[in-house]
Amino acid sequence: MAAARRMVVVGGDAAGMTAASQARRLLGPDELEVVAFERGAFSSYSACGIPYWIGGDVSDRDDLIARTPGKHRERGIDLRMHTEVTRLDTDRRRVLARELAPGERQSTTEYWTDYDHLVLATGARPVRPPLPGVDAEGVHGVQSLEDGQNLLDAIDRTAAPGGEGKRSPAGPQGAEPRLKAVVVGAGYIGVEMAEALVRREFEVTVLDRSPQPMTTLDPDMGELVHESMCGMGMEVVTGAAVTGIETGDDGRARAVVTKESTYPADVVVLGLGVAPETSLAQEAGLPLGGSGGLLTDLAMRVRGQENIWAGGDCVEVLDLISGRTRHIPLGTHANKHGQVIGANIGGGYATFPGVVGTAVSKVCDLEIARTGLLEAQAREVGLRFVTVTAEATSRAGYFPGSRPMRVKMLAERGTGRLLGTQIVGREGAGKRVDIAAVALTAGMTVEQMTYLDLGYAPPFSPVWDPVLVAARKATAAVKSAG
């Protein structure tokens, strides 16, 4: 009997462990040996859920873990935790790994492991600019469960009587003094962490260098987010370039400094986004795209390689609207990448065709969603387009609980093809973006969208759904533009 082939996975979260699990379902241990390396303490968890755990919506950290290392091992996957892969030898088909004691970064225990198939699922790393004081105690990222636990522990220490924090003075009505938190960055993670800290009763300041928060929206839609966050009691400072973190005599972060001002802080959270973690791939000479993510074919095989695959936050994916590759770090994509990789290694056939760039988030009761291209992205690829905005309500106007929302739509001039949609509103707004995501994937025009047979009842929608109201306006704009 021929020896089993070996599949080596680098990264123990969504893409890597989905690939391992899918391949194991298709091939037994006599046909395929599966070895996975994870440098952290947790496997297969929802990083997207961390802000909601911090904010108290999720009560227990373990609720975010889909499958523990022990469960993976029970299913025939040799998952080695606290083990970091430090080198890829693609010529000899092997990886160099070192064992790490929990909480440590150095180890003398190193060994090579051969592979027949290599899966790179190294994820993304938080953007951490080289600013004075950025590595001080009290400055937190929120990329991993370990990061989330460290932040929660710091919050508990800071808020405890006699703790590390310095409460701001009580308000004019004698309200309880509040601890101060500064969030640097106003993208998805930044606004979600701002909400979490408000719910933890911090006085929250959000600093962002862009003209408006949420640069994943056009500025006019980001302005709505800005206004709403201020209305929730947050201070949102845009056009603010952070120059450093001030520390106290104890070495802890005490303030965030910009060119214009200084903002006292008991806790600092970095929400500056992420970049693909592809240092291993770069050292091995594997192909990278413009944002530094690995480039793959539709089967998620690394370009130019027969036996190396990649998925999750370390890759760039095809944008079906612009025709270019983009780095879009989302768990939804990572799980699909893993399914495709596992199916192909397991002897089947699957492809990942690309994305339209759909994302949804919230800050307190404000829902924020987008899909497709922004105006700047459409211009960058040379598209000519029209834009419209529509004001509508989540339910029939006369029905209790109806809330306003704004829908913005981009359509290609001449053809009327839908190019992008953004939605900002309250309850019932965010998931409506899925209508536009399906239309984008199908290549529909805005006029075709107006005839979509969507569900209607007064508790759920007006007679004309807000997305269809925007599609009607976009149809008229396309015809007017000629």
Side-chain angles (χ1 to χ4, degrees):
M1 179 182 295
R5 293 176 297 152
R6 180 181 290 153
M7 171 185 181
V8 168
V9 179
V10 184
D13 205 357
M17 299 317 296
T18 300
S21 298
Q22 176 72 348
R24 170 55 72 233
R25 278 192 288 269
L26 295 172
L27 297 176
D30 293 337
E31 300 173 280
L32 185 71
E33 178 188 0
V34 183
V35 178
F37 298 100
E38 168 54 47
R39 63 184 178 186
F42 303 96
S43 66
S44 299
Y45 62 87
S46 171
C48 301
I50 293 174
Y52 306 106
W53 168 41
I54 301 294
D57 293 296
V58 178
S59 59
D60 194 304
R61 179 192 67 195
D62 291 348
D63 291 341
L64 299 180
I65 300 174
R67 189 166 291 174
T68 64
K71 291 294 184 183
H72 282 300
R73 294 181 188 118
E74 289 174 7
R75 289 164 170 79
I77 298 169
D78 180 5
L79 175 54
R80 304 175 187 181
M81 303 299 294
H82 300 293
T83 306
E84 180 178 30
V85 172
T86 59
R87 184 179 165 193
L88 309 179
D89 184 346
T90 58
D91 292 331
R92 300 176 67 176
R93 294 190 178 187
R94 61 180 187 168
V95 302
L96 180 64
R98 64 179 180 185
E99 297 176 359
L100 302 170
E104 295 183 10
R105 302 300 302 164
Q106 300 296 324
S107 172
T108 56
T109 306
E110 291 188 323
Y111 56 90
W112 289 97
T113 301
D114 297 331
Y115 63 81
D116 297 289
H117 293 283
L118 174 64
V119 178
L120 298 176
T122 46
R125 63 182 183 278
V127 174
R128 203 175 185 98
L131 298 172
V134 76
D135 294 321
E137 188 177 352
V139 180
H140 299 271
V142 284
Q143 179 69 7
S144 66
L145 280 190
E146 292 98 323
D147 293 337
Q149 189 63 66
N150 290 338
L151 176 55
L152 269 182
D153 292 344
I155 288 172
D156 290 341
R157 288 195 305 269
T158 302
E164 300 159 342
K166 295 182 179 179
R167 295 182 180 270
S168 56
Q173 282 78 40
E176 277 293 313
R178 300 171 66 192
L179 293 164
K180 292 179 177 290
V182 174
V183 179
V184 182
Y188 290 112
I189 291 296
V191 299
E192 289 168 0
M193 287 307 305
E195 174 187 351
L197 290 162
V198 165
R199 297 188 63 181
R200 290 279 177 178
E201 300 185 347
F202 277 76
E203 184 178 318
V204 176
T205 299
V206 180
L207 305 177
D208 195 90
R209 66 187 307 164
S210 300
Q212 296 294 348
M214 297 298 294
T215 55
T216 51
L217 302 176
D218 285 327
D220 56 329
M221 298 295 280
E223 185 178 2
L224 297 178
V225 178
H226 190 164
E227 292 171 357
S228 296
M229 292 175 70
C230 291
M232 297 166 190
M234 305 175 195
E235 181 182 11
V236 180
V237 184
T238 55
V242 173
T243 58
I245 312 292
E246 282 188 358
T247 58
D249 294 338
D250 57 359
R252 289 185 51 80
R254 290 302 179 196
V256 179
V257 183
T258 69
K259 291 181 179 179
E260 293 78 21
S261 189
T262 298
Y263 300 88
D266 299 296
V267 172
V268 178
V269 175
L270 301 180
L272 295 168
V274 297
E277 179 48 85
T278 51
S279 54
L280 281 174
Q282 184 175 22
E283 291 169 5
L286 299 179
L288 305 181
S291 64
L294 274 157
L295 297 176
T296 71
D297 60 19
L298 295 181
M300 303 309 299
R301 183 187 282 108
V302 173
R303 294 182 190 178
Q305 302 291 322
E306 280 298 316
N307 60 335
I308 302 179
W309 314 74
D313 292 354
C314 66
V315 305
E316 294 185 12
V317 293
L318 176 65
D319 184 317
L320 296 174
I321 312 304
S322 69
R324 298 184 177 182
T325 60
R326 294 171 57 193
H327 181 238
I328 305 179
L330 285 174
T332 50
H333 303 166
N335 280 282
K336 293 169 188 171
H337 297 166
Q339 288 282 347
V340 169
I341 294 168
N344 290 325
I345 291 177
Y349 176 72
T351 60
F352 183 79
V355 302
V356 294
T358 308
V360 63
S361 186
K362 65 182 282 290
V363 52
C364 297
D365 68 338
L366 186 74
E367 299 181 5
I368 307 160
R370 59 75 53 91
T371 188
L373 303 181
L374 306 182
E375 288 190 37
Q377 293 168 335
R379 290 191 191 96
E380 184 182 355
V381 295
L383 289 168
R384 299 172 67 230
F385 58 91
V386 299
T387 65
V388 297
T389 57
E391 308 289 340
T393 55
S394 57
R395 303 173 181 177
Y398 57 79
F399 199 88
S402 179
R403 305 297 300 275
M405 72 178 74
R406 182 179 295 179
V407 182
K408 181 174 182 177
M409 196 165 280
L410 282 67
E412 187 175 25
R413 289 186 62 171
T415 68
R417 177 173 62 116
L418 178 67
L419 297 178
T421 301
Q422 301 161 52
I423 305 176
V424 176
R426 260 64 188 188
E427 183 182 4
K431 285 295 283 179
R432 274 186 162 89
V433 79
D434 290 341
I435 303 168
V438 173
L440 281 165
T441 304
M444 295 178 70
T445 67
V446 287
E447 186 169 16
Q448 288 172 329
M449 289 181 67
T450 64
Y451 295 103
L452 286 173
D453 186 11
L454 304 182
Y456 160 69
F460 302 105
S461 171
V463 172
W464 282 92
D465 187 272
V467 174
L468 300 192
V469 173
R472 290 178 67 184
K473 291 189 69 173
T475 300
V478 168
K479 292 178 178 178
S480 177

